[in-house]
Amino acid sequence: MLNFDFYNPTRIAFGKGKVADIDKLVPPEARVLIIYGGNSAQKNGTLDEVQAALGNRRFELFGGVEPNPTYETMMKAVAQVKSNQLDFLLAVGGGSVIDGTKFVAAAVFAEGDPWEILLQRGANVKKAMPYGTVLTLPATGSEMNDGSVVSRVETASGLPDKLYFSSEHVFPQFSVLDPSKSFTLPPRQLANGVVDAYTHIMEQYLTYPVGARVQDRFAEGLLQTLIEIGPKVLQNPQDYELQANFMWVATLALNGLIGSGVPSDWATHMIGHEITALHGLDHAQTLAIILPTMLSLRRDAKRAKLMQYAERVWHISEGTEDARIEAAIQNTRSFFESLNVPTRLSAYDISADAIPAILSQLESHGMVELGEHKDVTLDKSREVLEASI
Ligand code: NZQ
Ligand code: ZN
């Protein structure tokens, strides 16, 4: 096992009715900015419930955070916090709202240009505003981690940037996970959530063995749970037990636990971010396209883990090594397709003509040595993209 530091200060309030706990979790004197997305939280009553839980505290609202939150929008929230002297943030939504809130929390204290937070991947974040979250979409794990992905529309190159930062200062203080808040999710977002969580687990599990037995077993258990419940949750989005399991799996998939002491890959995510920035695909759609091809083209370096994945997750224990690996990768692709998330660029009307721009954006963002062995060069990314058409 590799050496590691594990730190996660986020309190989780899990279960039906837990939104009311906000009254205990937010300091009584706090002046709160509630940050939310489009109209889903208004429509399903979550926003009203949150406001009721805040009681007599002073609060203001900031809506309109878009999927793949933008710097341009979030800077308006920063201005509101500063001009009205607010001191606590409350994110109500999915990964985009939570990521956007993380950026606001850090940007309020930024010295100089706040975009530097993204350019320096969070290394320059020295402090952040305290905040909590009410999760409405199981997918990203943002509710219990220190990462955030922010896009910028206006750039010098004219092409949009989608960059991540992380800092231990931007862990949420608390996250309310009430699985019934996901009952209103449309099939596309439920499927996206399953694919995103699945890929998070894979990017930390499917590298090379380091003897981390418990991390491997946790990862395999989380993958198997998603395979079991993913299709069911799409059919029965109002089944509380299914949503509860889905929500907790998605949180555990990226809260640092299974990634401690093991190598991680993230090449699929980094290529996916460029596809979203340039073509507007949902985050999970990009992962469904890239992950199966990425595994297939890097099967030699990942051979031992692919064999373990085939056997323990998909119960494939017969045939040659190559046949087992092929079947496991094919099962992964079919699983995503079974959730109605297409796994080919062409299914989203993206052709080979789009590849040079994706590669040049990867290069300009320094994404030229990706993966657990840093061997996913631009040439390898090109191969993966070409094989993903
Ligand atoms: O904006 P509203 O109206 O709220 O609608 C949202 C949005 O349109 C809707 N939605 C959310 N909860 C709902 C609901 N609709 C009905 N009922 C509900 N209960 O779902 C749509 C998508 O929301 P979004 O927050 O964009 O989705 P997701 O949670 O998948 O977040 C995606 C973002 O997270 C980033 C992605 O790159 C992307 O920008 N990621 C963040 C990570 C992290 N911080 O650790 C890791 C991930 O790999 C990922 O990169
Ligand atoms: Zn993701």
Side-chain angles (χ1 to χ4, degrees):
M1 200 185 300
L2 309 179
N3 291 357
F4 65 89
D5 285 314
F6 178 75
Y7 172 68
N8 194 316
T10 302
R11 177 189 297 273
I12 298 294
F14 191 100
K16 222 177 270 180
K18 284 289 191 174
V19 170
D21 284 18
I22 286 174
D23 190 29
K24 291 185 289 192
L25 295 167
V26 175
E29 301 304 323
R31 296 187 304 274
V32 182
L33 184 64
I34 302 175
I35 301 180
Y36 62 98
N39 61 4
S40 79
Q42 266 158 327
K43 241 167 63 186
N44 64 22
T46 309
L47 206 56
D48 283 344
E49 234 180 285
V50 167
Q51 294 179 41
L54 283 172
N56 293 328
R57 290 175 185 81
R58 187 183 138 198
F59 68 83
E60 296 183 16
L61 294 165
F62 183 89
V65 178
E66 53 282 84
N68 308 303
T70 63
Y71 170 81
E72 287 82 357
T73 298
M74 300 325 301
M75 285 307 293
K76 294 181 189 156
V78 172
Q80 188 170 340
V81 167
K82 285 187 178 169
S83 61
N84 299 349
Q85 293 168 347
L86 306 174
D87 58 15
F88 199 94
L89 307 175
L90 192 50
V92 182
S96 293
V97 170
I98 300 175
D99 281 10
T101 301
K102 285 177 179 169
F103 174 73
V104 174
V108 165
F109 296 118
E111 289 162 13
D113 178 6
W115 187 242
E116 277 294 318
I117 294 172
L118 279 303
L119 295 178
Q120 296 188 34
R121 308 281 185 254
N124 53 342
V125 176
K126 301 285 181 285
K127 71 190 245 202
M129 268 180 82
Y131 75 99
T133 89
V134 177
L135 181 68
T136 64
L137 197 176
T140 62
S142 188
E143 65 278 8
M144 198 179 176
N145 70 34
D146 65 352
S148 163
V149 189
V150 179
S151 300
R152 185 165 187 173
V153 184
E154 307 279 333
T155 62
S157 71
L159 295 174
D161 286 333
K162 181 174 181 184
L163 300 177
Y164 73 88
F165 81 96
S166 67
S167 162
E168 68 174 42
H169 301 293
V170 300
F171 277 104
Q173 283 197 343
F174 66 82
S175 283
V176 175
L177 273 56
D178 177 344
S180 65
K181 297 295 159 228
S182 306
F183 284 177
T184 52
L185 281 169
R188 169 167 152 193
Q189 298 305 339
L190 289 165
N192 280 347
V194 175
V195 171
D196 193 21
Y198 198 94
T199 307
H200 293 157
I201 304 162
M202 291 291 274
E203 297 238 61
Q204 299 164 93
Y205 165 71
L206 224 147
T207 57
Y208 56 90
V210 291
R213 291 170 185 251
V214 77
Q215 292 90 325
D216 279 5
R217 295 281 188 194
F218 277 153
E220 289 153 1
L222 295 173
L223 291 170
Q224 285 177 306
T225 308
L226 285 175
I227 293 166
E228 230 167 75
I229 67 174
K232 293 186 184 145
V233 91
L234 278 174
Q235 278 156 17
N236 308 293
Q238 308 210 355
D239 181 317
Y240 181 83
E241 287 307 324
L242 286 173
Q243 287 284 9
N245 281 286
F246 178 29
M247 201 171 250
W248 192 223
V249 167
T251 301
L252 290 172
L254 198 53
N255 73 346
L257 188 65
I258 65 167
S260 293
V262 299
S264 54
D265 185 340
W266 302 117
T268 292
H269 266 75
M270 294 307 122
I271 297 177
H273 288 340
E274 303 300 354
I275 299 174
T276 296
L278 293 175
H279 299 279
L281 270 61
D282 293 348
H283 172 60
Q285 293 172 335
T286 70
L287 307 175
I289 296 165
I290 300 298
L291 182 70
T293 341
M294 188 67 88
L295 295 175
S296 188
L297 292 182
R298 291 166 64 202
R299 68 178 66 198
D300 290 336
K302 290 179 178 289
R303 179 163 288 264
K305 272 314 206 32
L306 279 166
M307 288 296 290
Q308 185 177 326
Y309 173 60
E311 170 140 11
R312 292 195 190 169
V313 176
W314 292 107
H315 310 297
I316 302 167
S317 48
E318 297 201 342
T320 62
E321 276 200 9
D322 286 340
R324 292 184 209 190
I325 288 171
E326 187 57 39
I329 296 171
Q330 189 51 47
N331 282 3
T332 310
R333 185 184 291 284
S334 305
F335 177 56
F336 295 163
E337 293 274 353
S338 77
L339 302 167
N340 297 319
V341 186
T343 61
R344 292 284 173 192
L345 283 167
S346 52
Y348 304 89
D349 294 325
I350 298 175
S351 66
D353 302 348
I355 296 176
I358 298 171
L359 293 171
S360 92
Q361 284 297 81
L362 280 170
E363 186 172 22
S364 73
H365 298 143
M367 304 293 174
V368 295
E369 286 183 333
L370 300 171
E372 65 272 24
H373 295 297
K374 299 193 180 299
D375 59 353
V376 183
T377 56
L378 285 182
D379 277 342
K380 187 52 101 182
S381 293
R382 176 184 295 112
E383 265 181 63
V384 170
L385 286 160
E386 284 171 352
S388 302
I389 299 290

